[in-house]
Amino acid sequence: MAEEKLDVTKVARGVVSFWGVLGVVAFLMNGFRRVLPVALEPLRSGQPLPPSLGFAYAGFGMFMAYVEGYRGFHLKFSPNVVARALTLTSPRAGVWSRIFAPLYCMELFGSAPGRVVSSWSFVSSIMLLVAAVKRLPPKTRAVVDGGVCTGPSCVMSNHSH
């Protein structure tokens, strides 16, 4: 039996790709972790939502499952992150791309200028929406946060098997 040599370069590049994807997942999970308690509050409090907000909670959840979960994460964002992570295995990937692999995988730098602007605009828009949602009344905020949690939940359950 001939022993195969461990190619340290290939392993290191694989670790960098993993770091990129793991960093993106950690970033998203941090937001999910912060929003989930507010989203679950109507279910835990024992005080049911008024019927109009109950329908809004369910309807917005289904809407976000499709728009954010399926169309946004499943069809666009997740495959794009993985494709960018795989480019980090190339010898042409720069040092900064490897160090800041999660940001690189989210196309916040190192992509076509129009795509970088689009990615930063998207991140900035989300930050503004988060600030606005924090100012909503508690029950209305729970409806919005419940919908926001639905998208990543669908993606996680889809990729778990």
Side-chain angles (χ1 to χ4, degrees):
M1 292 181 130
E3 288 187 35
E4 292 184 32
K5 291 185 180 180
L6 180 64
D7 189 351
V8 177
T9 305
K10 283 185 180 180
V11 171
R13 289 181 184 148
V15 168
V16 170
S17 291
F18 181 73
W19 154 237
V21 173
L22 182 67
V24 172
V25 169
F27 176 74
L28 295 172
M29 289 306 296
N30 182 48
F32 184 79
R33 174 190 63 84
R34 291 170 168 224
V35 171
L36 186 61
V38 177
L40 295 177
E41 186 58 32
L43 307 173
R44 292 187 295 162
S45 70
Q47 297 177 353
L49 289 171
S52 61
L53 283 179
F55 286 121
Y57 192 94
F60 191 60
M62 288 186 285
F63 173 76
M64 291 299 282
Y66 176 70
V67 172
E68 181 187 27
Y70 179 68
R71 289 191 63 201
F73 279 112
H74 184 71
L75 292 181
K76 294 179 185 173
F77 185 75
S78 297
N80 205 23
V81 167
V82 171
R84 293 279 290 178
L86 292 175
T87 66
L88 291 169
T89 62
S90 166
R92 292 188 308 255
V95 173
W96 293 112
S97 298
R98 291 184 174 129
I99 292 171
F100 297 108
L103 300 177
Y104 176 82
C105 289
M106 293 188 331
E107 293 188 308
L108 295 174
F109 73 94
S111 191
R115 185 66 197 153
V116 171
V117 168
S118 175
S119 296
W120 276 106
S121 298
F122 187 71
V123 169
S124 301
S125 298
I126 290 173
M127 291 170 59
L128 291 172
L129 283 171
V130 167
V133 168
K134 284 184 177 183
R135 290 172 173 70
L136 292 174
K139 290 184 179 184
T140 307
R141 181 178 174 192
V143 169
V144 174
D145 287 350
V148 168
C149 286
T150 306
S153 298
C154 292
V155 173
M156 287 183 279
S157 66
N158 186 33
H159 291 295
S160 65
H161 50 76

